[in-house]
Short mmCIF file of all heavy atoms in Angstrom, two decimals:
data_model
loop_
_atom_site.label_atom_id
_atom_site.label_comp_id
_atom_site.label_asym_id
_atom_site.label_seq_id
_atom_site.Cartn_x
_atom_site.Cartn_y
_atom_site.Cartn_z
N SER A 1 169.78 -105.21 26.48
CA SER A 1 168.57 -105.84 25.87
C SER A 1 168.05 -106.80 26.66
O SER A 1 166.77 -107.17 26.46
CB SER A 1 169.25 -106.66 24.61
OG SER A 1 170.11 -107.62 24.97
N GLY A 2 168.67 -107.22 27.92
CA GLY A 2 167.95 -108.18 28.80
C GLY A 2 168.93 -108.93 29.58
O GLY A 2 170.10 -108.61 29.60
N VAL A 3 168.54 -110.08 30.18
CA VAL A 3 169.31 -110.95 31.01
C VAL A 3 169.16 -112.31 30.63
O VAL A 3 168.08 -112.78 30.25
CB VAL A 3 168.87 -110.68 32.38
CG1 VAL A 3 169.77 -111.52 33.29
CG2 VAL A 3 169.01 -109.27 32.89
N GLU A 4 170.30 -113.17 30.73
CA GLU A 4 170.10 -114.64 30.49
C GLU A 4 170.76 -115.21 31.72
O GLU A 4 171.87 -114.77 32.30
CB GLU A 4 170.86 -115.00 29.28
CG GLU A 4 170.19 -114.53 28.00
CD GLU A 4 171.07 -114.95 26.70
OE1 GLU A 4 171.82 -116.03 26.88
OE2 GLU A 4 170.79 -114.42 25.65
N PHE A 5 170.21 -116.29 32.29
CA PHE A 5 170.65 -117.03 33.41
C PHE A 5 170.24 -118.52 33.40
O PHE A 5 169.37 -118.88 32.73
CB PHE A 5 170.28 -116.40 34.78
CG PHE A 5 168.83 -116.47 35.07
CD1 PHE A 5 168.37 -117.60 35.82
CD2 PHE A 5 167.81 -115.54 34.66
CE1 PHE A 5 166.91 -117.64 36.13
CE2 PHE A 5 166.50 -115.68 35.03
CZ PHE A 5 165.95 -116.76 35.60
N THR A 6 171.05 -119.26 34.11
CA THR A 6 170.71 -120.74 34.42
C THR A 6 170.31 -120.80 35.87
O THR A 6 170.73 -120.07 36.70
CB THR A 6 171.84 -121.56 33.90
OG1 THR A 6 173.08 -121.27 34.66
CG2 THR A 6 172.12 -121.38 32.46
N ALA A 7 169.60 -121.96 35.97
CA ALA A 7 169.32 -122.31 37.48
C ALA A 7 168.80 -123.64 37.66
O ALA A 7 168.59 -124.29 36.66
CB ALA A 7 168.29 -121.22 38.08
N ILE A 8 168.53 -124.14 38.80
CA ILE A 8 167.86 -125.35 39.11
C ILE A 8 166.44 -124.96 39.62
O ILE A 8 166.36 -124.17 40.61
CB ILE A 8 168.55 -126.26 40.19
CG1 ILE A 8 170.01 -126.53 39.60
CG2 ILE A 8 167.71 -127.55 40.36
CD1 ILE A 8 170.01 -127.43 38.51
N ALA A 9 165.42 -125.43 38.92
CA ALA A 9 164.09 -125.15 39.50
C ALA A 9 163.75 -126.31 40.33
O ALA A 9 163.61 -127.56 39.85
CB ALA A 9 163.06 -125.10 38.31
N GLU A 10 163.36 -126.05 41.67
CA GLU A 10 163.02 -127.12 42.58
C GLU A 10 161.50 -127.00 42.91
O GLU A 10 160.97 -125.84 42.98
CB GLU A 10 163.72 -126.76 43.80
CG GLU A 10 165.29 -126.91 43.68
CD GLU A 10 165.94 -126.69 45.06
OE1 GLU A 10 165.35 -126.92 46.02
OE2 GLU A 10 167.21 -126.34 45.02
N GLY A 11 160.83 -128.12 42.69
CA GLY A 11 159.38 -128.14 43.05
C GLY A 11 158.80 -129.44 43.08
O GLY A 11 159.43 -130.46 43.50
N VAL A 12 157.55 -129.62 42.72
CA VAL A 12 156.92 -130.81 42.79
C VAL A 12 156.19 -131.21 41.46
O VAL A 12 155.46 -130.34 40.71
CB VAL A 12 155.60 -130.60 43.80
CG1 VAL A 12 154.91 -132.02 43.90
CG2 VAL A 12 156.24 -130.35 45.10
N CYS A 13 156.41 -132.35 40.87
CA CYS A 13 155.76 -132.92 39.63
C CYS A 13 154.68 -133.84 40.08
O CYS A 13 154.75 -134.62 41.00
CB CYS A 13 156.80 -133.73 38.85
SG CYS A 13 156.04 -134.47 37.30
N THR A 14 153.50 -133.46 39.53
CA THR A 14 152.30 -134.33 39.78
C THR A 14 151.92 -135.11 38.55
O THR A 14 151.69 -134.48 37.48
CB THR A 14 151.09 -133.35 40.15
OG1 THR A 14 151.37 -132.63 41.37
CG2 THR A 14 149.86 -134.28 40.55
N LEU A 15 151.89 -136.44 38.61
CA LEU A 15 151.62 -137.30 37.55
C LEU A 15 150.82 -138.49 38.00
O LEU A 15 151.31 -139.11 38.96
CB LEU A 15 152.95 -137.78 36.87
CG LEU A 15 152.94 -138.40 35.49
CD1 LEU A 15 154.40 -138.36 34.79
CD2 LEU A 15 152.64 -139.97 35.56
N LYS A 16 149.79 -138.76 37.44
CA LYS A 16 148.97 -140.02 37.83
C LYS A 16 148.53 -139.76 39.33
O LYS A 16 148.45 -140.83 40.04
CB LYS A 16 149.61 -141.34 37.47
CG LYS A 16 148.57 -142.33 37.30
CD LYS A 16 149.20 -143.66 36.92
CE LYS A 16 148.20 -144.79 36.75
NZ LYS A 16 148.84 -146.17 36.35
N GLY A 17 148.21 -138.66 39.72
CA GLY A 17 147.87 -138.37 41.23
C GLY A 17 148.98 -138.48 42.25
O GLY A 17 148.65 -138.35 43.36
N VAL A 18 150.18 -138.70 41.73
CA VAL A 18 151.26 -138.75 42.71
C VAL A 18 152.08 -137.52 42.61
O VAL A 18 152.50 -136.98 41.51
CB VAL A 18 152.32 -140.02 42.31
CG1 VAL A 18 153.36 -140.08 43.29
CG2 VAL A 18 151.43 -141.31 42.42
N ASN A 19 152.41 -136.94 43.86
CA ASN A 19 153.34 -135.80 43.88
C ASN A 19 154.77 -136.18 44.29
O ASN A 19 154.83 -136.78 45.45
CB ASN A 19 152.68 -134.78 45.03
CG ASN A 19 151.28 -134.51 44.62
OD1 ASN A 19 151.04 -134.16 43.43
ND2 ASN A 19 150.46 -134.46 45.67
N LYS A 20 155.67 -135.77 43.41
CA LYS A 20 157.04 -136.08 43.88
C LYS A 20 157.98 -134.90 43.76
O LYS A 20 157.83 -134.09 42.85
CB LYS A 20 157.64 -137.19 42.91
CG LYS A 20 157.01 -138.62 43.16
CD LYS A 20 157.60 -139.16 44.34
CE LYS A 20 157.10 -140.52 44.74
NZ LYS A 20 157.67 -141.12 45.95
N PRO A 21 158.80 -134.65 44.73
CA PRO A 21 159.83 -133.60 44.63
C PRO A 21 160.54 -133.76 43.27
O PRO A 21 161.10 -134.91 43.02
CB PRO A 21 160.69 -133.75 45.87
CG PRO A 21 159.96 -134.44 46.75
CD PRO A 21 159.11 -135.34 45.99
N THR A 22 160.85 -132.60 42.57
CA THR A 22 161.46 -132.74 41.28
C THR A 22 162.36 -131.57 41.10
O THR A 22 162.07 -130.37 41.48
CB THR A 22 160.44 -132.85 40.12
OG1 THR A 22 159.59 -133.94 40.32
CG2 THR A 22 161.02 -133.01 38.77
N LYS A 23 163.60 -131.68 40.48
CA LYS A 23 164.44 -130.63 40.07
C LYS A 23 164.61 -130.70 38.57
O LYS A 23 164.76 -131.65 37.88
CB LYS A 23 165.83 -130.80 40.83
CG LYS A 23 165.72 -130.71 42.29
CD LYS A 23 167.13 -130.77 42.94
CE LYS A 23 167.05 -130.54 44.40
NZ LYS A 23 168.41 -130.72 45.11
N ALA A 24 164.68 -129.56 37.99
CA ALA A 24 164.91 -129.36 36.56
C ALA A 24 165.97 -128.28 36.35
O ALA A 24 165.95 -127.29 36.94
CB ALA A 24 163.57 -128.96 35.90
N LYS A 25 166.82 -128.56 35.43
CA LYS A 25 167.78 -127.67 34.91
C LYS A 25 167.13 -126.73 34.07
O LYS A 25 166.39 -127.04 33.01
CB LYS A 25 169.01 -128.33 34.18
CG LYS A 25 169.88 -129.25 35.11
CD LYS A 25 170.90 -129.91 34.35
CE LYS A 25 171.80 -130.76 35.17
NZ LYS A 25 172.80 -131.44 34.32
N ILE A 26 167.30 -125.37 34.18
CA ILE A 26 166.61 -124.36 33.34
C ILE A 26 167.62 -123.40 32.82
O ILE A 26 168.59 -123.00 33.55
CB ILE A 26 165.32 -123.72 34.07
CG1 ILE A 26 165.83 -122.74 35.25
CG2 ILE A 26 164.32 -124.85 34.46
CD1 ILE A 26 164.85 -121.93 35.81
N SER A 27 167.26 -122.80 31.73
CA SER A 27 167.98 -121.69 31.15
C SER A 27 166.91 -120.65 30.79
O SER A 27 165.88 -120.98 30.14
CB SER A 27 168.76 -121.92 30.09
OG SER A 27 168.05 -122.55 28.87
N VAL A 28 167.10 -119.40 31.16
CA VAL A 28 166.10 -118.40 30.98
C VAL A 28 166.66 -117.12 30.19
O VAL A 28 167.72 -116.79 30.46
CB VAL A 28 165.55 -117.85 32.33
CG1 VAL A 28 164.45 -116.83 31.99
CG2 VAL A 28 164.92 -119.10 33.12
N LYS A 29 165.85 -116.73 29.17
CA LYS A 29 166.28 -115.62 28.40
C LYS A 29 165.15 -114.56 28.64
O LYS A 29 164.00 -114.70 28.35
CB LYS A 29 166.44 -115.87 26.92
CG LYS A 29 166.85 -114.63 26.11
CD LYS A 29 167.04 -114.96 24.60
CE LYS A 29 168.12 -115.92 24.42
NZ LYS A 29 168.31 -116.24 22.87
N TYR A 30 165.53 -113.47 29.29
CA TYR A 30 164.63 -112.37 29.68
C TYR A 30 164.94 -111.10 28.63
O TYR A 30 166.08 -110.64 28.91
CB TYR A 30 164.72 -111.93 31.07
CG TYR A 30 163.57 -111.11 31.59
CD1 TYR A 30 162.69 -111.56 32.47
CD2 TYR A 30 163.68 -109.69 31.37
CE1 TYR A 30 161.53 -110.75 32.86
CE2 TYR A 30 162.68 -108.89 31.82
CZ TYR A 30 161.70 -109.42 32.54
OH TYR A 30 160.60 -108.57 32.99
N ILE A 31 164.04 -110.79 27.82
CA ILE A 31 164.34 -109.74 26.81
C ILE A 31 163.47 -108.54 27.19
O ILE A 31 162.21 -108.66 27.30
CB ILE A 31 164.01 -110.24 25.41
CG1 ILE A 31 164.70 -111.38 25.06
CG2 ILE A 31 164.23 -109.03 24.44
CD1 ILE A 31 164.53 -112.08 23.69
N LEU A 32 164.07 -107.38 27.38
CA LEU A 32 163.40 -106.14 27.73
C LEU A 32 162.58 -105.66 26.55
O LEU A 32 162.88 -105.73 25.39
CB LEU A 32 164.30 -105.03 28.16
CG LEU A 32 165.23 -105.48 29.48
CD1 LEU A 32 166.24 -104.37 29.67
CD2 LEU A 32 164.28 -105.55 30.71
N GLU A 33 161.38 -105.03 26.90
CA GLU A 33 160.43 -104.57 25.91
C GLU A 33 161.15 -103.54 25.03
O GLU A 33 161.94 -102.59 25.53
CB GLU A 33 159.33 -103.95 26.51
CG GLU A 33 158.15 -103.64 25.54
CD GLU A 33 156.91 -103.06 26.32
OE1 GLU A 33 156.98 -102.77 27.43
OE2 GLU A 33 155.87 -103.13 25.59
N SER A 34 160.89 -103.53 23.83
CA SER A 34 161.46 -102.52 22.84
C SER A 34 160.53 -102.52 21.64
O SER A 34 159.45 -103.30 21.49
CB SER A 34 162.86 -103.12 22.30
OG SER A 34 162.78 -104.25 21.62
N ASP A 35 160.81 -101.62 20.58
CA ASP A 35 160.02 -101.54 19.37
C ASP A 35 159.95 -102.92 18.71
O ASP A 35 158.90 -103.22 18.35
CB ASP A 35 160.54 -100.43 18.51
CG ASP A 35 160.31 -99.12 19.13
OD1 ASP A 35 159.36 -98.91 19.96
OD2 ASP A 35 161.04 -98.04 18.73
N ALA A 36 161.03 -103.57 18.67
CA ALA A 36 161.19 -104.88 18.05
C ALA A 36 160.34 -105.97 18.66
O ALA A 36 159.76 -106.79 18.02
CB ALA A 36 162.66 -105.21 17.95
N THR A 37 160.34 -106.01 20.01
CA THR A 37 159.71 -107.03 20.72
C THR A 37 158.21 -106.93 20.61
O THR A 37 157.49 -107.92 20.78
CB THR A 37 160.09 -107.19 22.15
OG1 THR A 37 159.78 -105.91 22.95
CG2 THR A 37 161.55 -107.38 22.31
N ARG A 38 157.72 -105.59 20.59
CA ARG A 38 156.32 -105.34 20.52
C ARG A 38 155.63 -105.89 19.31
O ARG A 38 154.39 -105.95 19.20
CB ARG A 38 156.04 -103.77 20.60
CG ARG A 38 156.41 -103.18 21.99
CD ARG A 38 155.93 -101.76 22.01
NE ARG A 38 156.62 -101.06 23.17
CZ ARG A 38 157.73 -100.35 23.12
NH1 ARG A 38 158.24 -100.02 21.91
NH2 ARG A 38 158.15 -99.80 24.21
N LYS A 39 156.48 -106.16 18.32
CA LYS A 39 155.89 -106.76 17.02
C LYS A 39 155.34 -108.22 17.29
O LYS A 39 154.56 -108.74 16.67
CB LYS A 39 156.99 -106.79 16.06
CG LYS A 39 157.39 -105.47 15.51
CD LYS A 39 158.45 -105.58 14.44
CE LYS A 39 158.93 -104.16 13.92
NZ LYS A 39 159.90 -104.19 12.91
N ARG A 40 155.94 -108.85 18.61
CA ARG A 40 155.49 -110.09 18.94
C ARG A 40 154.33 -109.92 19.93
O ARG A 40 153.18 -110.49 19.87
CB ARG A 40 156.60 -110.93 19.49
CG ARG A 40 157.54 -111.56 18.45
CD ARG A 40 158.30 -112.68 19.17
NE ARG A 40 159.49 -113.11 18.42
CZ ARG A 40 160.28 -114.16 18.81
NH1 ARG A 40 159.98 -114.75 19.92
NH2 ARG A 40 161.17 -114.52 17.82
N ALA A 41 154.69 -109.29 21.04
CA ALA A 41 153.73 -109.02 22.21
C ALA A 41 154.20 -107.97 23.01
O ALA A 41 155.32 -107.49 23.00
CB ALA A 41 153.69 -110.27 23.03
N ALA A 42 153.29 -107.31 23.73
CA ALA A 42 153.55 -106.28 24.61
C ALA A 42 154.39 -106.81 26.00
O ALA A 42 154.23 -108.04 26.21
CB ALA A 42 152.26 -105.61 25.06
N GLY A 43 155.04 -105.90 26.58
CA GLY A 43 155.78 -106.25 27.83
C GLY A 43 157.05 -106.99 27.39
O GLY A 43 157.48 -107.13 26.31
N ASP A 44 157.91 -107.37 28.56
CA ASP A 44 159.04 -108.07 28.28
C ASP A 44 158.73 -109.56 27.93
O ASP A 44 157.76 -110.04 28.20
CB ASP A 44 159.81 -108.05 29.62
CG ASP A 44 160.12 -106.75 30.24
OD1 ASP A 44 160.32 -105.83 29.29
OD2 ASP A 44 160.31 -106.50 31.39
#
């Protein structure tokens, strides 16, 4: 049906014109396209 994973997203947050290195904890659920998912939207 798909894949689920966790990770740390490393990047840059921009707020009030200031750029700062930022890390976010993320969890991702990737669901493969099926007849059921197409009722919401095409693609995965």
